[in-house]
Amino acid sequence: MKSVSTDSNRVVSFGEKVSYGITEIACNPMYTIFCSFLVFFYTDVIGVNAAAVGTIILISRIFDGFSDIIAGNIVEHTHAKSGSARPWILRIAIPLGISYIAMFTVPDCGEWGKLIYIFVSYNVIQSVVYTMANAAMSALPTYMTNDRNSRSSCYAVRLFIAAATQTVLSLKFMNIIDALGGGQRAWIKLAAILGTVAAIVFAIVYMTTRETVTSGGENGEDVPLLVGLKALMHNKYWFSVLAMQFCCVLHQVTTLTVGVYYAKYILNDAKLVGNIIMYHHFPALVVMLLVPIALDKGASKRTLAILSGVSMLLGSLISLVYASGVPFIISMGLRGIGFGAFSSVIYGMLADTVEYGEWKTGVRTQAINVTANGVGQKIGSGLGTAAFGGLLTMCGYNGMAEVQTASAVSCIRIIFIVAPIAIYLILIVLAWLFKLDKQFPQIQKELEERKRSKAAVN
């Protein structure tokens, strides 16, 4: 077992970056299910009303977003021999595995009974188990090292593994469900496999990573939650990243959550969602391999974020004209390239806000900075899913019907193709306004001078 050491500016080895990155093999299948398949399971497998599901998810996501702050505070105040984030990687392993199964064990007890089970299970899984797991995962690189490039590379490796996991699972998910016999029982069987893998992987991550950085105020003391949140309110770049994450999540809702409906009702085969995600994710994977190299050579995260928005915008404009065929494949590829580039840099941008916040306020809140950003992710996901479910219901969608109304089919088409255009335009503007890359070297220099001055006084 590895523990906390004092080499806080160390360069993290590639092997340890991979050890950190495989956290996504444990958690990303759950994220993929939330994004792409869970709403479909609720509406088309167990027959729950789409608007009711959307409302539950919206309410849950708002609470869930703020539970990220609590989870970050818990990590921040954990001072075990093995560190702050790593202990929670181990502690949450078995609850995470059980949660996979609990998602799909919805009892056949009438509409209201199903809705109550969905509300309770969704909140426990998302707001407690997954949130704690994700808080520890997201904060871990900020405890592994203060080296900016190493942290960014850790996140880039993690996001590459995330995209690879999501691509493979999305491509084969519906086929596996059919191979396991179809129906609710098949979803439970697959969840049991994924949950077992998740618990094992988290145990491996705990044993093969180490922390070297501690957090706190200027004198190293624990930072109370309200003090940390007050400091966060003065961190303008944290808000910038929050807004960009919001846009990224809306991209995933319109592409992944809506994608399975697009495949079933526009392309007339639900299994083709795997193809849609493959066209999107394979180019993303290639880009994710290249971005860490670019970052190590000094590429600007801001520039890459702007270019990612432009790529996604071009892809959406092409699909506006061509809703199928080769041009549609190209359009999904461009959206994937942009998503891959953006995903590879956004967590590095978020980690950089830790130093900016410390420079600005004198308070270093690593876990709170990183995990509180989940507010944007989860509220964005909740709003997007709720809006989608509400619009489907308004247009007459019925998941158990053989044929959908023309208005429902048009609604699916518009949300999948047209809505993203506005999202990408906003993302480009937000990335353009992010100026921390240029300021960071001076900020880092001043922080080092402060530390030397305090050390000399003491």
Short mmCIF file of all heavy atoms in Angstrom, two decimals, residues 1-28:
data_model
loop_
_atom_site.label_atom_id
_atom_site.label_comp_id
_atom_site.label_asym_id
_atom_site.label_seq_id
_atom_site.Cartn_x
_atom_site.Cartn_y
_atom_site.Cartn_z
N MET A 1 0.85 -1.21 0.00
CA MET A 1 0.00 0.00 0.00
C MET A 1 0.87 1.24 0.00
O MET A 1 1.81 1.34 0.77
CB MET A 1 -0.91 0.01 1.23
CG MET A 1 -1.84 1.22 1.29
SD MET A 1 -2.74 1.33 2.85
CE MET A 1 -1.45 1.90 3.95
N LYS A 2 0.52 2.20 -0.90
CA LYS A 2 1.29 3.44 -0.96
C LYS A 2 0.64 4.49 -0.08
O LYS A 2 -0.57 4.54 0.09
CB LYS A 2 1.38 3.93 -2.41
CG LYS A 2 2.11 2.94 -3.30
CD LYS A 2 2.25 3.49 -4.71
CE LYS A 2 3.01 2.51 -5.59
NZ LYS A 2 3.24 3.01 -6.94
N SER A 3 1.43 5.39 0.47
CA SER A 3 0.91 6.40 1.38
C SER A 3 1.38 7.78 0.94
O SER A 3 1.92 7.97 -0.13
CB SER A 3 1.36 6.11 2.81
OG SER A 3 2.76 6.08 2.88
N VAL A 4 1.11 8.78 1.79
CA VAL A 4 1.48 10.15 1.48
C VAL A 4 2.98 10.34 1.62
O VAL A 4 3.57 9.93 2.61
CB VAL A 4 0.73 11.13 2.40
CG1 VAL A 4 1.15 12.56 2.10
CG2 VAL A 4 -0.77 11.00 2.23
N SER A 5 3.63 10.97 0.65
CA SER A 5 5.04 11.34 0.74
C SER A 5 5.14 12.85 0.59
O SER A 5 4.14 13.53 0.54
CB SER A 5 5.86 10.62 -0.33
OG SER A 5 5.45 11.01 -1.62
N THR A 6 6.35 13.38 0.52
CA THR A 6 6.53 14.83 0.56
C THR A 6 6.98 15.44 -0.76
O THR A 6 7.20 16.64 -0.83
CB THR A 6 7.55 15.20 1.64
OG1 THR A 6 8.79 14.53 1.37
CG2 THR A 6 7.04 14.79 3.01
N ASP A 7 7.10 14.63 -1.82
CA ASP A 7 7.57 15.14 -3.10
C ASP A 7 6.41 15.76 -3.86
O ASP A 7 5.91 15.21 -4.83
CB ASP A 7 8.21 14.00 -3.90
CG ASP A 7 8.89 14.51 -5.17
OD1 ASP A 7 9.04 15.74 -5.29
OD2 ASP A 7 9.24 13.67 -6.02
N SER A 8 5.97 16.94 -3.41
CA SER A 8 4.72 17.51 -3.91
C SER A 8 4.79 18.01 -5.34
O SER A 8 3.76 18.20 -5.98
CB SER A 8 4.26 18.65 -2.99
OG SER A 8 5.24 19.68 -2.95
N ASN A 9 5.99 18.25 -5.87
CA ASN A 9 6.12 18.73 -7.25
C ASN A 9 6.64 17.64 -8.19
O ASN A 9 7.17 17.93 -9.25
CB ASN A 9 7.07 19.93 -7.29
CG ASN A 9 6.48 21.16 -6.62
OD1 ASN A 9 5.34 21.53 -6.89
ND2 ASN A 9 7.23 21.75 -5.71
N ARG A 10 6.48 16.39 -7.80
CA ARG A 10 7.01 15.29 -8.59
C ARG A 10 6.33 15.18 -9.95
O ARG A 10 5.18 15.62 -10.14
CB ARG A 10 6.83 13.96 -7.84
CG ARG A 10 5.37 13.48 -7.76
CD ARG A 10 5.23 12.30 -6.84
NE ARG A 10 3.83 11.87 -6.71
CZ ARG A 10 3.31 10.81 -7.32
NH1 ARG A 10 4.05 10.06 -8.11
NH2 ARG A 10 2.04 10.49 -7.14
N VAL A 11 7.04 14.57 -10.90
CA VAL A 11 6.46 14.24 -12.19
C VAL A 11 5.88 12.83 -12.07
O VAL A 11 6.60 11.88 -11.75
CB VAL A 11 7.53 14.29 -13.31
CG1 VAL A 11 6.93 13.83 -14.63
CG2 VAL A 11 8.08 15.70 -13.44
N VAL A 12 4.60 12.69 -12.29
CA VAL A 12 3.93 11.41 -12.13
C VAL A 12 4.30 10.49 -13.29
O VAL A 12 4.27 10.89 -14.46
CB VAL A 12 2.39 11.60 -12.09
CG1 VAL A 12 1.68 10.26 -11.95
CG2 VAL A 12 2.01 12.53 -10.93
N SER A 13 4.66 9.26 -12.97
CA SER A 13 5.05 8.30 -14.01
C SER A 13 3.86 7.92 -14.88
O SER A 13 2.70 8.02 -14.46
CB SER A 13 5.63 7.04 -13.37
OG SER A 13 4.62 6.31 -12.71
N PHE A 14 4.15 7.45 -16.08
CA PHE A 14 3.07 7.04 -16.99
C PHE A 14 2.27 5.89 -16.39
O PHE A 14 1.04 5.85 -16.49
CB PHE A 14 3.65 6.63 -18.34
CG PHE A 14 2.59 6.17 -19.33
CD1 PHE A 14 1.75 7.09 -19.94
CD2 PHE A 14 2.43 4.82 -19.62
CE1 PHE A 14 0.76 6.68 -20.82
CE2 PHE A 14 1.46 4.40 -20.51
CZ PHE A 14 0.63 5.33 -21.11
N GLY A 15 2.96 4.96 -15.74
CA GLY A 15 2.27 3.83 -15.13
C GLY A 15 1.26 4.27 -14.08
O GLY A 15 0.14 3.74 -14.00
N GLU A 16 1.64 5.27 -13.27
CA GLU A 16 0.72 5.74 -12.24
C GLU A 16 -0.42 6.55 -12.85
O GLU A 16 -1.55 6.53 -12.34
CB GLU A 16 1.47 6.58 -11.20
CG GLU A 16 0.65 6.85 -9.95
CD GLU A 16 1.43 7.55 -8.85
OE1 GLU A 16 2.67 7.71 -9.00
OE2 GLU A 16 0.81 7.92 -7.84
N LYS A 17 -0.14 7.23 -13.97
CA LYS A 17 -1.23 7.92 -14.68
C LYS A 17 -2.27 6.92 -15.17
O LYS A 17 -3.47 7.17 -15.08
CB LYS A 17 -0.65 8.70 -15.86
CG LYS A 17 0.17 9.92 -15.48
CD LYS A 17 0.80 10.56 -16.71
CE LYS A 17 1.72 11.72 -16.34
NZ LYS A 17 2.41 12.29 -17.53
N VAL A 18 -1.79 5.79 -15.69
CA VAL A 18 -2.72 4.75 -16.15
C VAL A 18 -3.48 4.16 -14.96
O VAL A 18 -4.70 3.91 -15.05
CB VAL A 18 -1.96 3.64 -16.90
CG1 VAL A 18 -2.90 2.47 -17.23
CG2 VAL A 18 -1.35 4.19 -18.19
N SER A 19 -2.77 3.96 -13.84
CA SER A 19 -3.43 3.46 -12.62
C SER A 19 -4.56 4.39 -12.21
O SER A 19 -5.64 3.94 -11.80
CB SER A 19 -2.42 3.32 -11.48
OG SER A 19 -1.48 2.31 -11.75
N TYR A 20 -4.30 5.70 -12.30
CA TYR A 20 -5.37 6.66 -12.00
C TYR A 20 -6.47 6.59 -13.06
O TYR A 20 -7.66 6.58 -12.73
CB TYR A 20 -4.80 8.08 -11.94
CG TYR A 20 -5.89 9.13 -11.96
CD1 TYR A 20 -6.75 9.28 -10.88
CD2 TYR A 20 -6.07 9.96 -13.07
CE1 TYR A 20 -7.77 10.23 -10.89
CE2 TYR A 20 -7.08 10.91 -13.09
CZ TYR A 20 -7.93 11.04 -12.01
OH TYR A 20 -8.93 11.96 -12.04
N GLY A 21 -6.06 6.49 -14.31
CA GLY A 21 -7.04 6.53 -15.40
C GLY A 21 -8.03 5.38 -15.40
O GLY A 21 -9.17 5.55 -15.83
N ILE A 22 -7.63 4.22 -14.90
CA ILE A 22 -8.55 3.07 -14.94
C ILE A 22 -9.70 3.22 -13.95
O ILE A 22 -10.60 2.36 -13.93
CB ILE A 22 -7.82 1.73 -14.70
CG1 ILE A 22 -7.19 1.67 -13.30
CG2 ILE A 22 -6.79 1.47 -15.79
CD1 ILE A 22 -6.66 0.29 -12.94
N THR A 23 -9.70 4.29 -13.15
CA THR A 23 -10.89 4.57 -12.35
C THR A 23 -12.13 4.64 -13.24
O THR A 23 -13.24 4.34 -12.80
CB THR A 23 -10.76 5.90 -11.58
OG1 THR A 23 -10.41 6.95 -12.49
CG2 THR A 23 -9.70 5.81 -10.49
N GLU A 24 -11.92 5.04 -14.51
CA GLU A 24 -13.04 5.16 -15.42
C GLU A 24 -13.61 3.80 -15.83
O GLU A 24 -14.77 3.71 -16.24
CB GLU A 24 -12.64 5.96 -16.66
CG GLU A 24 -12.45 7.45 -16.42
CD GLU A 24 -13.74 8.17 -16.08
OE1 GLU A 24 -14.82 7.57 -16.25
OE2 GLU A 24 -13.68 9.33 -15.64
N ILE A 25 -12.80 2.73 -15.76
CA ILE A 25 -13.34 1.40 -16.04
C ILE A 25 -14.35 1.02 -14.96
O ILE A 25 -15.30 0.28 -15.21
CB ILE A 25 -12.19 0.37 -16.12
CG1 ILE A 25 -11.29 0.68 -17.31
CG2 ILE A 25 -12.74 -1.06 -16.24
CD1 ILE A 25 -10.07 -0.21 -17.44
N ALA A 26 -14.15 1.56 -13.76
CA ALA A 26 -15.09 1.32 -12.66
C ALA A 26 -16.33 2.20 -12.76
O ALA A 26 -17.45 1.73 -12.58
CB ALA A 26 -14.39 1.55 -11.32
N CYS A 27 -16.13 3.49 -13.04
CA CYS A 27 -17.22 4.46 -12.96
C CYS A 27 -17.87 4.81 -14.29
O CYS A 27 -19.06 5.12 -14.33
CB CYS A 27 -16.72 5.75 -12.30
SG CYS A 27 -16.79 5.71 -10.51
N ASN A 28 -17.10 4.75 -15.38
CA ASN A 28 -17.68 5.21 -16.65
C ASN A 28 -18.85 4.38 -17.15
O ASN A 28 -19.78 4.94 -17.74
CB ASN A 28 -16.60 5.30 -17.73
CG ASN A 28 -17.11 6.01 -18.96
OD1 ASN A 28 -17.60 5.39 -19.89
ND2 ASN A 28 -17.04 7.34 -18.95
#
